[in-house]
Amino acid sequence: MAPRPVTLITGASAGLGVEFAKQCAARGDEVVLVARRKDRLNQLAAELGKAHVIAADLAKPKAPAELLKEIRSRDLWVRTLINNAGFGLRGRFDTLPLDRQLEMIDLNIRSLTNLAFVVLDDMRANGGGAILNVASTAAFQPGPNMAVYFATKAYVLSFTEALHEEWKDRGIKVSALCPGPTRTEFGDVAGIKALGSFDRLAMDAGPVVKAGLDGLESNSAVVIPGIANKAGALSAQLAPRSVVRKIAGSLKF
């Protein structure tokens, strides 16, 4: 029996990951849910009715290869990868724990890159596939007081656009989803108690995920949900860098 195609969703235990799982399952995908918190994954899988659960800490260097090996052992192959796992931290660079900041780089950059690489073999062998990397509108500017997080998302955006160009005529879709403030658990982990003046502009997870999946389907290189987020990203690209970083550094959360 030939391996079955699945949609692999990382960071599936909370926030956008949960919504990705629900929307992908609703459209008929067989989903593989990955995160550290197995109890949450099991609860979500029970709600979806049909899903594979794999608990893994993707910040560990060998985790992506081990994850793919486990998926193949179940006679599955990754047709769609939703690279959603990641986290942020708010605070001045020298006041935040170095080990947590390095872990952020490992998860937001290293793991995302590693997973994109290891799934390509199966995609090529099976005639196509799709990769959605979750970046952020933070990718369009430097972020004083969230320096490492903003920098990791700039990498994700640049990396994804490059892959999109490499694969756009070769049967594999690659898109970067760049949401702005979104109502998820992200702020709790990052140490952001509220979205401040941006709270009224924050989007719910549902429309953000739908925009990402629709953009991936149409093979858009960059997907920015919401008019306000599109305007903000554009202004960050047009304004002088000195102005952009001062404005970003003055934002209160």
Side-chain angles (χ1 to χ4, degrees):
M1 183 179 296
R4 301 190 308 279
V6 294
T7 295
L8 170 61
I9 303 167
T10 69
S13 63
L16 291 180
V18 172
E19 188 62 31
F20 271 118
K22 291 179 179 179
Q23 291 195 26
C24 288
R27 70 182 189 180
D29 293 7
E30 187 171 353
V31 297
V32 177
L33 311 175
V34 179
R36 290 182 301 176
R37 293 175 287 190
K38 190 172 183 179
D39 56 337
R40 286 199 177 192
L41 296 179
N42 286 334
Q43 291 174 7
L44 179 57
E47 180 181 343
L48 297 177
K50 184 180 181 181
H52 303 270
V53 168
I54 302 176
D57 183 355
L58 293 175
K60 296 181 178 179
K62 295 182 180 180
E66 293 171 350
L67 171 60
L68 186 64
K69 182 178 179 180
E70 175 62 24
I71 290 171
R72 287 174 171 170
S73 75
R74 302 185 185 191
D75 290 325
L76 308 171
W77 70 275
V78 179
R79 179 170 59 191
T80 302
L81 168 64
I82 308 294
N83 249 329
N84 170 70
F87 70 93
L89 294 173
R90 178 166 177 79
R92 205 176 68 192
F93 173 67
D94 63 303
T95 67
L96 294 172
L98 178 59
D99 59 344
R100 282 288 283 164
Q101 295 189 82
L102 295 177
E103 183 182 359
M104 193 195 317
I105 293 171
D106 284 340
L107 186 59
N108 294 10
I109 293 179
R110 183 187 180 110
S111 172
L112 176 142
T113 305
N114 196 338
L115 277 172
F117 186 90
V118 298
V119 300
L120 282 172
D121 278 344
D122 282 351
M123 290 181 181
R124 285 192 295 256
N126 288 280
I131 299 172
L132 181 64
N133 292 328
V134 178
S136 167
T137 52
F140 296 98
Q141 66 260 304
N145 299 311
M146 290 189 77
V148 173
Y149 174 74
F150 275 55
T152 64
K153 293 305 181 179
Y155 170 91
V156 172
L157 176 60
S158 177
F159 171 68
T160 305
E161 287 190 89
L163 289 191
H164 171 87
E165 197 67 23
E166 289 179 6
W167 290 97
K168 66 180 183 180
D169 298 321
R170 299 165 65 190
I172 296 176
K173 301 174 181 179
V174 186
S175 298
L177 174 61
C178 298
T182 307
R183 296 182 182 94
T184 67
E185 296 179 8
F186 174 85
D188 295 335
V189 176
I192 301 171
K193 296 181 179 179
L195 295 173
S197 60
F198 289 99
D199 190 51
R200 61 188 177 84
L201 300 176
M203 295 181 65
D204 291 328
V208 171
V209 167
K210 185 178 186 304
L213 294 176
D214 289 347
L216 182 62
E217 180 64 28
S218 63
N219 202 21
S220 301
V222 181
V223 181
I224 306 173
I227 295 175
N229 293 326
K230 288 182 174 70
L234 179 61
S235 64
Q237 294 175 80
L238 296 177
R241 297 286 285 182
S242 59
V243 173
V244 171
R245 63 177 176 262
K246 286 180 182 178
I247 292 174
S250 69
L251 297 178
K252 305 297 182 184
F253 295 91

